Amino acid sequence: MTRLGVIDLGSNSVRLVIYEAKKDPLSPKPFRILADEKKVAGLAAYVTDGRFSAAGIGRAATILADLLKVSRNLSCERTDVFATAVLRNCVNSTEAVAAIEAAIEHPIRLLSATEEAALGLAGARIGRSLGEGTLIDIGGGSTELTALDADGRAAASPGGGMSLSQGSVSSYAQFVALVLPDAAERRAIAEAFDERLEQLGDLAPYRHQHLFGIGGSVRAIAKMQAQALGTVSKPPVIARESLEQLLRLLEEDTSSFAHHAVKACPDRVHTLVPGMVIAHRIMETLGSEDITVCKYGIREGYLVECMLGS
């Protein structure tokens, strides 16, 4: 067994997960989680006119330095840091990553959209079979779609993976004035996402009754479903009908919705509804009826593919 740390530098939060892992990544259970620490950073707010600001670089460096210290204190043999859309999509991406690396004296792997989707799928497949459908990952700054074949693997071209440069955090930052988006702001989020979907071209390979979901936005929706609709505490599936019930509750009784949201996902209250709107647009566009919530995602995929498999 070896102790490994993975730090996910995201648009809203920076998360360190420490694993006790087996050398054999093909083991039925290749790891167990020893520690999980999340820092809410709000890095998407530090992007102005497409540039990641000096203040954002400082904020990211401070948080990463603290988490790297935690990993050292817990005797990790190796700790990797990866970043996704918040740094990938800014125009000064190379310079920003280099500045953060210099400040923390530690390398950062900037994942491409293709790598992000592939690692998300690798994580989703750990300990379970997926089957035919489409995998969705609604992140903070982007949303990935991956068409799956009957074996739950990425379908061959043209069905592969697609990335849209809109996620729950970027939607909040761009369209929402206060905390919960009003009706006009929800429409703006939906219309912007629809435009991005249209730009992808042929969506036929992604149209399926069943979706599989990874990432914080999907898990937040599942928690909200349990809290507001009184379902099981960790619902394995988000039905389209349930998602539409939540959106109706928001429309008809915003106060009740807000109180449920604070209980269900207090650290994601501001990004919950943008994530719900994006999930609903995906389901409507692809003709999907449900989203199966996967236990693992990109961090575990990175662990198995890039650390245990390297």
Side-chain angles (χ1 to χ4, degrees):
M1 302 289 282
T2 183
R3 187 168 293 188
L4 302 171
V6 176
I7 299 178
D8 177 356
L9 181 66
S11 299
N12 185 49
S13 62
V14 184
R15 192 164 199 158
L16 164 67
V17 183
I18 296 176
Y19 304 90
E20 190 172 64
K22 296 179 180 178
K23 297 290 187 181
D24 179 12
L26 299 180
S27 168
K29 192 175 180 181
F31 59 83
R32 67 186 182 99
I33 295 174
L34 297 181
D36 186 341
E37 184 163 346
K38 181 170 73 171
K39 303 283 189 180
V40 177
L43 296 181
Y46 292 91
V47 178
T48 304
D49 297 327
R51 296 184 65 83
F52 195 66
S53 70
I57 290 170
R59 173 78 169 154
T62 297
I63 292 175
L64 287 173
D66 288 344
L67 292 178
L68 285 167
K69 183 177 180 180
V70 172
S71 73
R72 288 193 297 270
N73 289 341
L74 292 177
S75 303
C76 285
E77 296 178 29
R78 171 181 167 185
T79 301
D80 281 16
V81 181
F82 71 80
T84 52
V86 68
L87 286 175
R88 181 174 68 232
N89 294 337
C90 60
V91 296
N92 61 332
S93 177
T94 301
E95 296 83 355
V97 171
I100 298 170
E101 287 179 326
I104 64 174
E105 299 181 337
H106 195 94
I108 296 171
R109 179 168 175 175
L110 183 61
L111 300 181
S112 69
T114 300
E115 288 174 323
E116 184 175 355
L119 293 175
L121 175 57
R125 288 173 53 84
I126 294 172
R128 63 166 303 153
S129 59
L130 298 182
E132 189 175 5
T134 295
L135 179 70
I136 67 170
D137 181 2
I138 305 171
S142 66
T143 298
E144 276 67 47
L145 305 177
T146 305
L148 306 178
D149 62 20
D151 295 322
R153 300 183 182 277
S157 181
M162 290 184 173
S163 180
L164 297 89
S165 57
Q166 182 177 344
S168 59
V169 177
S170 60
S171 294
Y172 173 79
Q174 184 175 355
F175 297 109
V176 185
L178 299 176
V179 178
L180 295 179
D182 60 25
E185 291 167 338
R186 295 195 298 274
R187 283 195 299 273
I189 293 169
E191 289 169 3
F193 194 77
D194 285 346
E195 288 180 10
R196 287 181 167 85
L197 280 173
E198 289 174 8
Q199 292 169 3
L200 294 180
D202 183 17
L203 292 174
Y206 302 89
R207 299 186 191 279
H208 202 279
Q209 183 178 358
H210 303 296
L211 303 177
F212 300 93
I214 61 173
S217 291
V218 168
R219 288 193 294 272
I221 296 170
K223 291 176 182 177
M224 184 62 177
Q225 174 180 295
Q227 170 64 38
L229 304 183
T231 61
V232 295
S233 60
K234 292 184 178 180
V237 173
I238 301 167
R240 180 168 156 185
E241 180 182 358
S242 297
L243 181 54
E244 290 171 348
Q245 279 184 265
L246 292 175
L247 290 169
R248 283 196 299 272
L249 176 63
L250 173 62
E251 182 73 30
E252 297 167 3
D253 192 345
T254 304
S255 175
S256 177
F257 182 96
H259 280 80
H260 283 304
V262 168
K263 294 176 182 177
C265 44
D267 59 334
R268 289 183 176 270
V269 171
H270 64 304
T271 60
L272 171 63
V273 176
M276 288 169 53
V277 171
I278 290 172
H280 189 248
R281 294 311 306 138
I282 292 172
M283 296 182 86
E284 282 208 325
T285 303
L286 301 184
S288 307
E289 293 301 322
D290 52 53
I291 303 171
T292 296
V293 182
C294 298
K295 183 176 182 179
Y296 299 119
I298 187 170
R299 287 181 293 275
E300 290 74 26
Y302 184 96
L303 171 73
V304 170
E305 296 293 317
C306 302
M307 299 179 80
L308 296 180
S310 61

